[in-house]
Amino acid sequence: MHVSSSSEGILAQHAMPSVQDEPYYVAGADEVAVFEQCHQHQLAVMIKGPTGCGKTRFVEHMAWRLQRPLITISCHDDLTASDLVGRFLIQHDQTVWQDGPLAVAARQGAICYLDEVVEARQDTVVVLHSLTDHRRTIALEKTGELITAAPGFQLVVSYNPGYQRMLKDMKPSTRQRFVALEFDFPPERTETAIVAHEGGVDALVAGNLVTLAHQLRGLRDRGLAEVPSTRLLIAAARLHAGGIALERACELAVVAPLSDDDTLIAAMNDLINLTLRR
Ligand SMILES: Nc1ncnc2c1ncn2[C@@H]1O[C@H](COP(=O)(O)OP(=O)(O)OP(=O)(O)O)[C@@H](O)[C@H]1O
Ligand SMILES: [Mg+2]
């Protein structure tokens, strides 16, 4: 099971089961071996890459491979250190301490995955520091407890470069605690296999979608700020597998989410017609 937590959702203090079924993941390079080494040597991992390129799927896959529980935290600028570490709650006229997701992960020896970490404020992120160096501890200041992370605990963060906030917005003392893996869209053949598998279409249709994606990604230099991700191709494939014509599926799932600019939309629709009607 995969447990997610937002800042409001504080996790119960029970054991987290590991990811049960193998999450489908096709490796692009040596990332599986690198992650395994990092896990073995207690090194934290940072994954950089555009939206929809497989970062979350990779972490789910690694948690399954390593048979560790996975706790995911979506970061945003209101996230506080208490949201991560824990807080006192009032329950039946009593004040009880409730661990936050980071404290739960440290106790359970889980993989703790902070998605979009650059969105979190620096004063929040510093609570990670003592967990990512030789100390492997986290202090619960309000209870006076010092938790030493159980074996298997690993911190993983990810972010999309190019969004409003950048890596440079993170303190060097934070950045330099991570081994960084760079992700990008998979090579053509790999992406075709992924789109076919995840979208429920045959290799021919998947190949056409990937060819289209390459053409559209080429428009980046001509003003298209966001280019289609593997995720969008899978969405188009699923619509098509459900009975919608491929061109229409691409308009709905690939073109419309990318831009409001009429000129760019027309250029993208032309590319669809050229690529898919051949
Ligand atoms: N290498 C891959 N192997 C298997 N599936 C993949 C791979 N890359 C992408 N996918 C598919 O693309 C979808 C989107 O990937 P994922 O959610 O992991 O993206 P992400 O990089 O975490 O994006 P975001 O930054 O928006 O969170 C996945 O649900 C999966 O179906
Ligand atoms: Mg993700």
Side-chain angles (χ1 to χ4, degrees), residues 228-246:
S229 63
T230 309
R231 178 188 288 128
L232 289 192
L233 303 185
I234 293 168
R238 287 187 182 156
L239 288 182
H240 180 61
I244 294 180
L246 195 55

Side-chain angles (χ1 to χ4, degrees), residues 17 40 64 68 136 167 183 210 219 234 242 252-253 257 263:
Q40 195 181 333
W64 170 82
R68 301 313 312 160
R136 282 175 66 83
L167 194 57
F183 276 41
V210 172
L219 291 181
I234 293 168
L252 293 166
T263 318

Side-chain angles (χ1 to χ4, degrees), residues 41-267:
H41 297 291
Q42 305 190 327
L43 296 169
V45 174
M46 168 186 288
I47 306 170
K48 317 181 195 183
T51 185
C53 75
K55 301 182 295 296
T56 297
R57 181 60 67 87
F58 171 63
V59 177
E60 289 167 352
H61 179 82
M62 292 313 300
W64 170 82
R65 250 177 195 270
L66 297 162
Q67 286 300 292
R68 301 313 312 160
L70 175 61
I71 295 179
T72 300
I73 302 162
S74 298
C75 297
H76 51 81
D77 55 7
D78 287 337
L79 193 76
T80 64
S82 302
D83 293 329
L84 293 176
V85 172
R87 55 166 59 91
F88 281 108
L89 297 177
I90 309 282
Q91 264 179 15
H92 312 298
D93 298 335
Q94 278 192 322
T95 319
V96 289
W97 174 259
Q98 183 94 55
D99 276 345
L102 193 61
V104 173
R107 287 191 205 278
Q108 302 293 335
I111 292 178
C112 188
Y113 174 36
L114 287 101
D115 205 358
E116 281 305 319
V117 69
V118 285
E119 294 297 326
R121 292 193 313 266
Q122 296 199 356
D123 58 326
T124 303
V125 173
V126 289
V127 305
L128 306 177
H129 283 194
S130 58
L131 278 168
T132 50
D133 55 32
H134 64 280
R135 291 171 283 177
R136 282 175 66 83
T137 56
I138 181 166
L140 310 184
E141 278 169 20
K142 290 180 184 153
T143 64
E145 188 186 358
L146 186 70
I147 305 174
T148 300
F153 170 81
Q154 188 179 16
L155 203 63
V156 182
V157 302
S158 71
Y159 79 100
N160 299 324
Y163 275 17
Q164 303 90 322
R165 290 185 195 223
M166 303 285 287
L167 194 57
K168 65 177 170 46
D169 293 325
M170 263 173 119
K171 284 184 183 191
S173 57
T174 305
R175 270 186 270 149
Q176 295 201 16
R177 291 179 138 76
F178 294 89
V179 170
L181 279 170
E182 290 214 40
F183 276 41
D184 205 343
F185 301 121
E188 207 154 331
R189 278 179 60 186
T190 311
E191 195 167 29
T192 301
I194 294 169
V195 172
H197 180 274
E198 298 284 281
V201 292
D202 61 30
L204 194 69
V205 171
N208 282 337
L209 284 168
V210 172
T211 304
L212 174 68
H214 277 254
Q215 314 252 22
L216 293 172
R217 288 171 192 161
L219 291 181
R220 198 199 291 268
D221 305 330
R222 291 178 39 207
L224 190 63
E226 259 186 78
V227 295
S229 63
T230 309
R231 178 188 288 128
L232 289 192
L233 303 185
I234 293 168
R238 287 187 182 156
L239 288 182
H240 180 61
I244 294 180
L246 195 55
E247 288 87 353
R248 179 71 180 137
C250 289
E251 268 172 47
L252 293 166
V254 180
V255 169
L258 291 181
S259 179
D260 292 323
D261 181 308
D262 289 340
T263 318
L264 278 172
I265 290 179

Side-chain angles (χ1 to χ4, degrees), residues 25-42:
Y25 179 72
V26 186
D30 60 353
E31 67 271 28
V32 171
V34 171
F35 195 104
E36 280 175 345
Q37 284 298 311
C38 291
H39 191 77
Q40 195 181 333
H41 297 291
Q42 305 190 327

